[in-house]
Amino acid sequence: MSIQFTIERLPDKANNFAEPPVNQSRFILTSCSQKCPLTREQCEKFSNTVLPARHEKYLEEIKNLEIYEDDTWVISYPKCGTTWTQETVWQISNDVDLDSEQAKKSLRTRFPFIEASSLMAENPEMKSRVQQVKEMPRPRFVKSHLPICFLPDDLWKKAKKIIYVARDPKDAAVSYFHHYFNLHEYQGTIEEYLDLYLEGNVEFGDYWDHVEQFHLIRHLPNFKFIKFEDLKHNLRATLVDLANFLGKSLSEEQLEKLEQHLQFENIKNNPAVNYSLQPPPEGHVDDDQNKRRKEFNFIRRGQTGSHRDEMPQEIIERFDKKTKERFGGYENLY
């Protein structure tokens, strides 16, 4: 199926990165699939996202991806507990397998990030991440940050299970700043970045749009909406709930093993789960910023409320105001 869309390049302040330029752009779908679980009005509201311009190469391939009835997907806005949720879902689905050769493979291999090739420089010697997903043995486990209208058309009715994880936007935003600063080499201040976040001019677009649209489809029988805060503060109950959703019955011994395995420090230090940052490129001045880059861990703090350490009060109030305006009509949605 051919996809109709337009692309608008974001303002220069949204492309404030060290070389090479990321070229962040807004993708806007001008037609919506009849298989989309959103209403026509909702599709019009949520039919855009922000990605590097090279996503154009993969947009149609992802939309038309063949979905199997034993697929399991984990979806989120970035820095909302995706990695933690992926490992949780994979372990429950595989009967708490902590020691096998497969369990010790990188989460990148066990649970690939389908649009990752859109975010990285081209490497002609490597298969795209979409192609890797196509060639995976079944059952497949797939990660994405894409909004609903950009995901495969057949996902909603064919996939076995889809899990979405949300997080307090203030904590997610500060975590995403560190991701931008260290992995994208963002050159602006945290205040400048948080302005971009509030405007929806960061990768994957507007946080509030992203979370709201997935909250609207929580009635789907193969879909589960969870929160980072539940993983952090109510892990055992969340594991039982997810196991029930995934059709798995875990023994008390399995639950205890999994609960210990998923403690944040254990996840952060697990080479099969964490992601290590390469040192900064040669030629960078070893100033305070680049010392921070060297020390960065993909899985960083895993706390709730940690935004208070870095987010100015004036910006906290702006975040709270936008959250109230956008989520005020939904019970318990931040």
Side-chain angles (χ1 to χ4, degrees):
M1 177 182 174
S2 180
I3 312 301
Q4 297 178 336
F5 60 94
T6 60
I7 304 176
E8 299 175 354
R9 192 176 189 275
L10 263 60
D12 289 344
K13 65 178 183 177
N15 280 285
N16 186 14
F17 304 104
E19 293 183 3
V22 174
N23 193 12
Q24 297 283 20
S25 303
R26 187 172 302 281
F27 286 76
I28 304 169
L29 298 184
T30 53
S31 63
C32 189
S33 168
Q34 292 181 347
K35 298 179 180 179
C36 180
L38 297 172
T39 66
R40 184 176 298 276
E41 291 76 17
Q42 290 165 350
C43 282
E44 291 176 358
K45 180 178 180 180
F46 301 125
S47 63
N48 71 91
T49 193
V50 172
L51 283 164
R54 56 180 168 263
H55 183 66
E56 181 176 5
K57 179 177 178 179
Y58 304 104
L59 189 153
E60 194 160 315
E61 190 177 9
I62 292 174
K63 283 285 288 177
N64 293 324
L65 180 75
E66 183 174 6
I67 300 297
Y68 300 112
E69 67 275 7
D70 51 2
D71 280 356
T72 300
W73 287 58
V74 164
I75 304 169
S76 75
Y77 191 82
K79 314 312 292 183
C80 285
T82 329
T83 303
W84 204 359
T85 305
Q86 287 173 262
E87 181 66 6
T88 301
V89 168
W90 193 92
Q91 286 294 342
I92 292 173
S93 300
N94 287 276
D95 302 312
V96 192
D97 174 10
L98 304 182
D99 301 314
S100 73
E101 183 178 340
Q102 181 68 9
K104 293 180 180 178
K105 288 182 179 178
S106 169
L107 202 57
R108 283 194 177 102
T109 300
R110 292 182 284 133
F111 220 126
F113 180 18
I114 192 167
E115 67 268 21
S117 296
S118 301
L119 313 179
M120 304 181 297
E122 294 280 355
N123 184 343
E125 297 181 2
M126 290 183 63
K127 294 177 181 177
S128 75
R129 206 59 59 90
V130 186
Q131 189 61 37
Q132 290 177 28
V133 169
K134 288 180 177 180
E135 296 176 4
M136 283 180 72
R138 294 169 55 185
R140 302 185 305 190
F141 295 84
V142 185
K143 162 191 168 180
S144 181
H145 293 315
L146 291 171
I148 289 170
C149 294
F150 290 80
L151 286 161
D153 285 341
D154 288 333
L155 182 64
W156 317 104
K157 289 191 175 180
K158 288 191 176 181
K160 180 182 179 182
K161 299 294 180 183
I162 306 162
I163 298 94
Y164 184 86
V165 57
R167 186 183 188 184
D168 182 308
K170 299 185 291 293
D171 288 336
V174 169
S175 182
Y176 208 6
F177 165 73
H178 288 280
H179 181 98
Y180 251 58
F181 178 82
N182 290 284
L183 298 185
H184 289 341
E185 296 195 55
Y186 175 67
Q187 302 297 291
T189 65
I190 188 170
E191 291 83 5
E192 290 168 335
Y193 173 80
L194 292 171
D195 278 338
L196 291 173
Y197 195 98
L198 284 160
E199 295 165 0
N201 284 334
V202 296
E203 223 164 59
F204 296 101
D206 186 276
Y207 160 90
W208 291 267
D209 279 355
H210 206 287
V211 172
E212 182 182 4
Q213 64 188 274
F214 282 95
H215 191 257
L216 287 168
I217 66 165
R218 66 194 185 281
H219 61 278
L220 296 179
N222 61 342
F223 180 80
K224 184 75 171 175
F225 187 103
I226 67 171
K227 293 182 178 181
F228 174 94
E229 291 79 11
D230 291 330
L231 283 167
K232 180 69 179 178
H233 300 298
N234 202 6
L235 180 57
R236 172 63 72 98
T238 303
L239 294 180
V240 171
D241 189 36
L242 278 173
N244 289 335
F245 173 70
L246 293 165
K248 289 289 185 176
S249 178
L250 301 183
S251 68
E252 184 66 21
E253 181 182 0
Q254 286 175 312
L255 281 169
E256 289 178 1
K257 286 173 60 178
L258 184 55
E259 193 171 12
Q260 183 61 31
H261 175 72
L262 293 171
Q263 294 301 310
F264 184 79
E265 286 303 315
N266 293 337
I267 288 292
K268 183 174 181 177
N269 295 312
N270 184 343
V273 179
N274 61 29
Y275 303 98
S276 298
L277 179 70
Q278 295 299 315
E282 291 185 10
H284 276 225
V285 177
D286 195 19
D287 56 14
D288 287 342
Q289 287 193 339
N290 284 308
K291 286 178 182 177
R292 286 168 62 192
R293 285 193 173 100
K294 288 179 179 179
E295 295 167 358
F296 177 72
N297 289 312
F298 186 86
I299 301 176
R300 203 173 60 93
R301 294 181 69 179
Q303 297 178 4
T304 57
S306 60
H307 64 273
R308 299 186 189 94
D309 298 339
E310 301 180 72
M311 185 180 281
Q313 182 60 35
E314 179 268 333
I315 297 181
I316 289 176
E317 291 171 3
R318 289 170 61 195
F319 268 73
D320 288 343
K321 180 181 178 182
K322 185 166 183 179
T323 300
K324 184 177 180 179
E325 290 172 348
R326 292 298 306 274
F327 295 164
Y330 300 110
E331 187 177 358
N332 298 323
L333 184 57
Y334 296 109

